[in-house]
Amino acid sequence: MKFVAVTSCPTGIAHTYMAAEALEQAATEAGHEIQVETQGAAGAEPLDPADIAAADAVIFAADVEVRDKERFAGKPTVSGDVKRGINHAAAMVAEAAEAAEKAPATAGAPAPAAPAAEAPKVGPGARLRIWLMTGVSYMLPFVAAGGILIALAFVIGGAEIAPKVNGGEFEGVTYEAIANPTDILAQVGIAGLMFYLGGLAFSMLVPILAGFIAFGMADRMGIAPGVVGGLIAVNIGAGFLGGLVAGLLAGAVVMALKLIKAGQAFSGIMRIVVIPLVSVFAVGFVMLVLVGQPIASAQEGLTDWLEGLSGTNAILLGLLLGAMMGFDLGGPVNKVAYLFGVAAIASDNFAIMAAVMAAGMVPPLGMALASVIRRSRFTRAEREAGKAAWLLGASFITEGAIPFAAADPLRVIPSTMAGGAAAAAVSMAFDATLRAPHGGIWVIGLIGNAWGFLIALLVGTAVTCAVVLGLKSVARSERAAEVEDRAMATI
Amino acid sequence: MTDLINADLVDLDLTGEDRYEATALLAERLVEAGRVTDLDGFLADVRAREEQMPTGLEGGIGIPHARSAHVTAPTLAFGRSTEGVDFGAADGPADLVFLIAAPEGGGSEHMTILASLARRLVHKEFKDALRAAPDADAVVALIKKEVLEQ
């Protein structure tokens, strides 16, 4: 059998390592394999997620709380104090073997009795995907809570709920923004409150994504620079792609700083002051100066360019706007296309808004469909995201596709672009129109040529789904898939 | 880097009524060797760890230890006792006592040495060899060979 173990003790210089050695000896003598993570003063070399995924049981010989225990969720576990690990290692190993036998491969704990040589090492690509997936798994509750609250707000309060809360014009009526959030319930009702809460939860989506990508890379030291970098990505309108950059950058900076060998007296200060300070400043500087300014000027350039295209073929314009909507799912390029549609409403051109909304609804819908028809191509977390994505897509909350795109950007973004382009082009071809700047399927009453619009949605959803399944099948070897799936089971 | 242990840090006739007295005797050697700057401060740190949970292990082992601000370099003092000293293990007193002194906030390369020492302590052959060692130099050679030359 295969086991993983964690040992720890209060001081972290003696018992931790003795227990590790004793468990390794006992397991080897009994003919098992074991990997031990020593959470002691010499620094913990974390267990390889692939080893955890492949383990039949987990042994904790620990006097202090095991760090990051959630990695082992769902595995049969044997726990004892660290001395038991030293004095009675053989008994603990035997109990672990017994526990593993009693718990035949349950969901989330695949325990194929594979010989040692078959357990492949996690390559760099798979490692990157595990980091991204870590960020996504912590972000998911925010997507679900925020997205569903906003969707319900539209269902209950209608499309005008957004300007009622945030201010703005809708169907010729101008609303004042509500300055004090505590007044929302009294002035706009429960739908307004839901809209506000949903928006707040959504505003945390990119910071959490970035923070926990960095956490996946560099442990808890990564969270501060990751979250700050993610907040900057929000403030500069860089969207989830900005969040990916911030998270990976923060993780890399902290990993690099940890390599610096500080003198004894200095090492406490490194962890408490130097690494947080330097990493937050470095990530913040890069995000604001090197990422933020180019994005702002690129947005201006794109906007000017789109305005210059106003006279061209409607279907071509639809293809272009749709691809932009699907590219970064709420990020800077998406925003340019969306605002182009909103601006067109003001000049009484309602077809562009319909095309833009169709393209913005299709990415979550397409991913939701794909995760249902080919479950095996998606991780458990992604399949759960897929359930909420139906409602988010129907409500024109394009962000519903971010969990998929953040976890696997190179395969998902081309498919959401293709699907968005197809939806917008079909909508343009049918000359569907829309007078509201948002609301999704719930403002179907305001859509001109609604059947054409629905056909556009169906085509776009089908295209997104087909492209993503094609890419996920072709560009992924069976072996790589197996390693990933095992590792993912632990997240 | 300074040696983990030398012959002056080995006491093959360790006495002591209890674990604290035995620890204090070994700690005095650390002070003489310049590895511990404040005897009482260091002993208080060891005692604090010992009171959390006695460090005796089955098979006649006691490992009093601490990470302490009064330690200048990671060091091991070794004592062998014919009568045995009670370190709180279930199966009786310890005849092999390892006093491990680690500096507060020590760099991880130092901790790695202590970690590999700790790992050796669970090997029966290592313990048997320590029990059979004829003199302090033999103990030092044995520990250096097992811990440092892996």
Side-chain angles (χ1 to χ4, degrees):
Chain A
M1 286 192 191
K2 293 185 183 191
F3 301 125
V4 289
V6 175
T7 61
S8 76
C9 62
T11 328
I13 61 178
H15 292 75
T16 300
Y17 300 97
M18 298 176 70
E21 188 79 11
L23 286 169
E24 284 168 12
Q25 275 191 327
T28 312
E29 270 167 30
H32 303 301
E33 272 184 62
I34 192 165
Q35 300 294 330
V36 185
E37 176 174 312
T38 50
Q39 296 187 349
E45 178 76 17
L47 287 165
D48 192 323
D51 287 331
I52 300 176
D56 299 302
V58 183
I59 300 174
F60 294 133
D63 283 350
V64 293
E65 189 60 34
V66 171
R67 293 201 288 270
D68 306 325
K69 210 169 185 171
E70 62 280 358
R71 290 176 292 169
F72 309 100
K75 296 268 178 190
T77 301
V78 174
S79 302
D81 58 25
V82 71
K83 278 196 178 178
R84 186 145 193 269
I86 302 170
N87 292 331
H88 305 288
M92 288 193 91
V93 168
E95 280 169 33
E98 202 178 312
E101 269 167 23
K102 273 189 198 155
T106 47
E118 268 184 34
K121 199 102 180 92
V122 177
R127 193 161 293 268
L128 177 65
R129 192 157 139 75
I130 288 168
W131 292 337
L132 298 182
M133 208 57 218
T134 303
V136 169
S137 67
Y138 283 94
M139 174 185 72
L140 272 181
F142 291 84
V143 180
I148 293 172
L149 279 169
I150 293 173
L152 289 177
F154 280 130
V155 175
I156 299 170
E160 62 269 35
I161 199 70
K164 276 182 176 171
V165 175
N166 292 333
E169 201 187 294
F170 187 84
E171 297 257 279
V173 186
T174 305
Y175 297 91
E176 287 274 323
I178 293 175
N180 186 345
T182 53
D183 295 339
I184 290 176
L185 186 61
Q187 293 190 22
V188 194
I190 192 72
L193 193 71
M194 288 172 137
F195 185 80
Y196 177 77
L197 291 177
L200 268 188
F202 253 41
S203 69
M204 285 309 293
L205 201 146
V206 170
I208 292 291
L209 174 67
F212 283 89
I213 287 173
F215 170 75
M217 295 170 72
D219 221 339
R220 61 199 62 194
M221 298 294 254
I223 293 181
V227 167
V228 172
L231 282 170
I232 296 172
V234 172
N235 288 350
I236 62 178
F240 87 97
L241 288 174
L244 291 187
V245 171
L248 293 171
L249 179 68
V253 167
V254 174
M255 279 168 127
L257 287 172
K258 279 183 170 176
L259 291 179
I260 298 173
K261 290 234 189 314
Q264 291 181 21
F266 203 55
S267 74
I269 297 189
M270 273 301 279
R271 277 188 299 117
I272 295 163
V273 180
V274 178
I275 292 183
L277 180 71
V278 174
S279 61
V280 167
F281 179 80
V283 171
F285 185 88
V286 170
M287 288 301 293
L288 270 178
V289 179
L290 300 183
V291 178
Q293 287 172 353
I295 285 183
S297 39
Q299 274 185 303
E300 271 176 44
L302 268 177
T303 306
D304 291 346
W305 182 61
L306 276 181
E307 272 160 16
L309 289 178
S310 295
T312 51
N313 180 297
I315 291 178
L316 277 182
L317 185 63
L319 280 173
L320 178 66
L321 286 171
M324 289 173 70
M325 288 298 288
F327 172 64
D328 53 2
L329 312 169
V333 176
N334 167 292
K335 280 283 177 306
V336 168
Y338 173 73
L339 291 176
F340 187 74
V342 175
I345 297 181
S347 48
D348 289 337
N349 180 345
F350 302 123
I352 293 177
M353 190 62 228
V356 163
M357 185 161 92
M361 294 169 69
V362 154
L365 292 174
M367 299 313 299
L369 181 63
S371 73
V372 170
I373 62 178
R374 288 296 290 278
R375 291 170 50 86
S376 64
R377 291 285 164 218
F378 296 87
T379 65
R380 195 158 41 109
E382 284 174 325
R383 292 200 293 271
E384 275 159 24
K387 288 173 193 155
W390 290 110
L391 181 60
L392 305 198
S395 308
F396 183 30
I397 300 170
T398 317
E399 286 84 346
I402 289 182
F404 298 92
D408 195 5
L410 295 181
R411 297 193 188 93
V412 170
I413 290 176
S415 60
T416 54
M417 287 176 74
V426 172
S427 174
M428 287 295 233
F430 280 105
D431 202 20
T433 59
L434 172 63
R435 295 160 170 277
H438 40 63
I441 206 74
W442 317 110
V443 293
I444 191 99
L446 300 174
I447 294 175
N449 197 359
W451 283 111
F453 184 82
L454 289 178
I455 291 171
L457 285 185
L458 289 178
V459 171
T461 303
V463 169
T464 307
C465 175
V467 174
V468 79
L469 289 181
L471 289 176
K472 278 192 186 266
S473 306
V474 174
R476 203 168 92 131
S477 73
E478 286 301 315
R479 188 177 166 80
E482 190 202 352
V483 181
E484 270 183 27
D485 292 345
R486 281 195 188 185
M488 289 304 162
T490 66
I491 293 176
Chain B
M1 188 163 15
T2 48
D3 285 343
L4 177 67
I5 187 167
N6 60 44
D8 293 336
L9 296 170
V10 175
D11 182 349
L12 293 183
D13 297 300
L14 185 65
T15 51
E17 284 293 300
D18 61 10
R19 51 190 159 135
Y20 298 115
E21 211 176 301
T23 304
L25 286 169
L26 284 175
E28 279 169 19
R29 289 173 180 263
L30 292 175
V31 175
E32 278 164 31
R35 304 299 180 87
V36 165
T37 52
D38 176 347
L39 179 65
D40 292 336
F42 174 69
L43 286 176
D45 290 336
V46 175
R47 190 174 188 115
R49 169 64 185 86
E50 203 68 31
E51 279 168 358
Q52 269 180 313
M53 170 85 67
T55 59
L57 293 167
E58 290 177 23
I61 304 264
I63 346 166
H65 62 279
R67 300 180 78 176
S68 167
H70 310 295
V71 176
T72 58
T75 306
L76 169 68
F78 171 74
R80 199 166 69 184
S81 162
T82 29
E83 287 167 19
V85 181
D86 182 19
F87 269 87
D91 67 345
D95 62 335
L96 301 180
V97 179
F98 301 84
L99 175 60
I100 302 176
E104 188 74 67
S108 64
E109 69 273 32
H110 293 135
M111 294 306 164
T112 308
I113 290 182
L114 295 180
S116 72
L117 167 70
R119 282 177 173 272
R120 302 313 295 167
L121 294 184
V122 301
H123 289 259
K124 190 170 181 309
E125 311 82 69
F126 183 51
K127 291 183 277 188
D128 289 344
L130 285 172
R131 289 191 171 107
D135 56 32
D137 287 324
V139 167
V140 170
L142 189 63
I143 290 174
K144 283 190 173 166
K145 178 170 166 293
E146 288 280 337
V147 175
L148 300 176
E149 291 175 13
Q150 284 182 52

